[in-house]
Amino acid sequence: QVQLVQSGGGLVQTGGSLRLSCEASGTFFSIKARTWYRQAPGNQREFVAALSSGGGTNYADSVKGRFSISRDSAKDTFYLQMDSLKPEDTAVYYCSAQIVTIGSTSAGLQYWGQGTQVTVSS
């Protein structure tokens, strides 16, 4: 089955940058609604950024102007570029996507990455 594998987390200082990657593996027809979420300990998971199959983007107010979601030409990997990081950005970041597979409808099924820790020191 399809899996989303994340990489790129780590520890950075305030004002630093990180780029998170989310690679889809397995057999699929298309990837839709690429999305990033984050969850701090004890908090609810919150929306961060989304990239539609048509190329449109959407960002949470808290990250607008600092984060950018994108994908590569092969469309099997997408990214979250995080600049001007703040301590309040510290969380586990999860990628998610609607992916159309042999066993899904045309709308696809939602898949989740394993999560990666981002820690921003003050």
Side-chain angles (χ1 to χ4, degrees):
Q1 64 176 359
V2 176
Q3 292 183 322
L4 298 179
V5 180
Q6 298 180 225
S7 62
L11 173 65
V12 297
Q13 294 181 326
T14 297
S17 298
L18 282 174
R19 189 184 72 166
L20 306 183
S21 298
C22 183
E23 182 179 4
S25 64
T27 302
F28 55 87
F29 296 120
S30 63
I31 302 175
K32 300 180 178 180
R34 298 164 174 83
T35 311
W36 289 95
Y37 293 82
R38 67 187 182 187
Q39 186 170 20
N43 291 355
Q44 295 289 316
R45 185 173 298 180
E46 64 176 345
F47 168 81
V48 175
L51 175 65
S52 73
S53 59
T57 59
N58 190 35
Y59 298 94
D61 288 343
S62 59
V63 306
K64 285 182 179 178
R66 300 188 297 119
F67 290 11
S68 180
I69 186 171
S70 62
R71 66 188 184 194
D72 66 12
S73 59
K75 300 182 179 180
D76 61 346
T77 303
F78 63 103
Y79 309 94
L80 183 68
Q81 177 67 44
M82 303 183 293
D83 298 323
S84 302
L85 283 162
K86 306 173 182 179
E88 49 263 46
D89 295 319
T90 295
V92 176
Y93 284 71
Y94 298 89
C95 64
S96 182
Q98 293 292 122
I99 301 178
V100 180
T101 69
I102 295 175
S104 76
T105 68
S106 60
L109 296 172
Q110 186 173 20
Y111 290 83
W112 290 87
Q114 80 278 15
T116 186
Q117 178 70 46
V118 171
T119 302
V120 185
S121 64
S122 59

